[in-house]
Amino acid sequence: LGLTIVSRYMGSIGGEIQVQTGLGKGTRITMRFPVEICQDCGTPDTVYSPGIRPGLTIGMCNAYISSPETSNFATQWLSLWGAKCVPVADTEIGSDEVRLDVLVVEVNSTTALGTPWHRITTPSLVICAANVVQEIPSSPTRYICRYPLTVSTLSDAIAALQTHAGESPDAEPTVDVRALVVDDLPLNVKVLKSHLSKLGVTNFSEAGNGQEAVAKVMQDGGYHLIVMDLMMPVMDGLEATREIRRLEKEGRVRVQSHIIGVTAERGRNKLKKMLEAGMDDALNKPVSRVALKKYVLRARSAGRSGSAREETVPHNY
């Protein structure tokens, strides 16, 4: 039904829609339609991308596949988002002479086993078919994406991986804070937990969606600090926050949490919805350790009195 509607709309504006599909590769839908080029709308480097830091150096390695179509697709979008994309040969992977923030590697079922994964120390995005995923060694700094690669998946992956680039390994002293990290993407959870660990937080739990977060809060009696993603399956971050605030109001949890909403979207309307739901603050993706530090210290201080809730105005929105 959706494709029928899109097809009719494309026809009404003089455009066309094409569908390509392949077993184990996924489906690609291409739409072509006439547009009028605006002369005063800025240049491609003004294209907004949620969470992508301009100026990233991203290595593109497609030496392990026969067709560079997906790699070219990624390069086009990353370049529009302000990243510097450089080709990387398989012999250059792991070389000290090649300085990269993120590496994008595309492999297939034949080349996955022969790829020198042990040499890939740079945060990396691996693109492959579903039946190849199990052949790729897992790593906290490796994001595996199955075909077809979409713009949103590419954006989420790079936003998460870039937080590992150039970080100092120095850790902060241990702090007495109980934290809950809520995100449906395992890599994002690992990144946030890594930040919290380096800030001295050792007592934390994780949840994959809002429903799990509410259950964790009820089970553990609340947390001093909750880092809550907004867009999640089952129950989103806004609804989960409303439920947690209801539990607090009813006295069913011991600790009132300081809830930080994490989102790739910007804008006052989104911020208003977050505050109305009961969130105390908002952070944009990618979340940095520096941005988290003040909330950890605030939660530690408030936790001594049994409450981590206070009204604040988000500083970075």
Side-chain angles (χ1 to χ4, degrees):
L1 177 60
L3 285 177
T4 300
I5 296 172
V6 173
S7 177
R8 289 178 179 175
Y9 180 71
M10 285 292 103
S12 69
I13 62 173
E16 62 177 3
I17 181 171
Q18 296 179 341
V19 179
Q20 295 174 302
T21 184
L23 184 62
K25 294 183 178 181
T27 300
R28 168 167 292 180
I29 300 172
T30 304
M31 292 174 286
R32 295 183 175 87
F33 51 92
V35 296
E36 181 179 349
I37 299 177
C38 177
Q39 302 298 327
D40 302 314
C41 294
T43 57
D45 59 3
T46 62
V47 174
Y48 172 70
S49 168
I52 302 298
R53 187 171 72 241
L56 285 176
T57 300
I58 300 180
M60 309 298 296
C61 180
N62 56 15
Y64 302 104
I65 47 121
S66 58
S67 173
E69 183 178 355
T70 298
S71 179
N72 291 341
F73 169 81
T75 298
Q76 290 174 358
W77 277 99
L78 291 170
S79 298
L80 284 174
W81 294 335
K84 178 184 178 183
C85 296
V86 296
V88 175
D90 57 336
T91 55
E92 296 177 305
I93 291 179
S95 171
D96 293 336
E97 298 179 0
V98 181
R99 301 293 183 180
L100 302 171
D101 294 310
V102 175
L103 175 67
V104 178
V105 183
E106 189 175 0
V107 297
N108 57 33
S109 57
T110 303
T111 59
L113 293 176
T115 303
W117 301 111
H118 64 284
R119 291 189 356 230
I120 301 179
T121 56
T122 302
S124 55
L125 166 62
V126 182
I127 307 169
C128 62
N131 63 332
V132 183
V133 172
Q134 60 185 2
E135 307 293 344
I136 301 171
S138 61
S139 167
T141 59
R142 184 170 297 143
Y143 194 115
I144 302 175
C145 172
R146 296 176 293 181
Y147 292 125
L149 179 65
T150 65
V151 175
S152 59
T153 300
L154 178 64
S155 176
D156 287 345
I158 300 301
L161 289 168
Q162 71 184 350
T163 61
H164 290 281
E167 277 196 339
S168 169
D170 298 330
E172 299 277 345
T174 301
V175 295
D176 186 18
V177 170
R178 287 191 297 124
L180 175 65
V181 177
V182 189
D183 199 301
D184 60 311
L185 295 178
L187 181 59
N188 288 350
V189 173
K190 289 181 180 179
V191 169
L192 290 169
K193 288 172 66 175
S194 174
H195 286 338
L196 290 170
S197 295
K198 290 174 182 177
L199 290 170
V201 179
T202 58
N203 187 357
F204 45 67
S205 300
E206 61 183 75
N209 58 60
Q211 188 177 78
E212 291 181 9
V214 174
K216 286 275 188 181
V217 169
M218 293 182 65
Q219 174 184 317
D220 299 334
Y223 295 85
H224 300 116
L225 178 67
I226 298 178
V227 185
M228 180 86 72
D229 187 34
L230 259 63
M231 301 297 292
M232 295 180 290
V234 185
M235 179 186 290
D236 64 27
L238 296 179
E239 184 60 31
T241 299
R242 295 187 190 100
E243 284 296 306
I244 292 171
R245 293 308 185 205
R246 182 180 62 81
L247 294 173
E248 293 173 350
K249 186 176 181 180
E250 295 174 356
R252 298 171 63 183
V253 294
R254 299 187 302 272
V255 178
Q256 284 190 302
S257 305
H258 190 93
I259 303 178
I260 304 172
V262 178
T263 178
E265 298 183 47
R266 298 174 188 264
R268 289 291 172 181
N269 289 335
K270 176 61 68 175
L271 174 59
K272 182 180 178 182
K273 290 181 180 178
M274 294 166 73
L275 296 179
E276 288 176 346
M279 291 182 172
D280 297 284
D281 230 316
L283 287 175
N284 288 123
K285 292 182 179 180
V287 177
S288 69
R289 180 153 40 111
V290 174
L292 270 179
K293 184 173 183 178
K294 83 168 196 173
Y295 301 115
V296 170
L297 296 176
R298 179 181 297 163
R300 178 182 63 177
S301 175
R304 293 171 181 161
S305 63
S307 173
R309 181 92 191 270
E310 66 176 77
E311 296 301 325
T312 63
V313 177
H315 73 287
N316 69 331
Y317 226 82

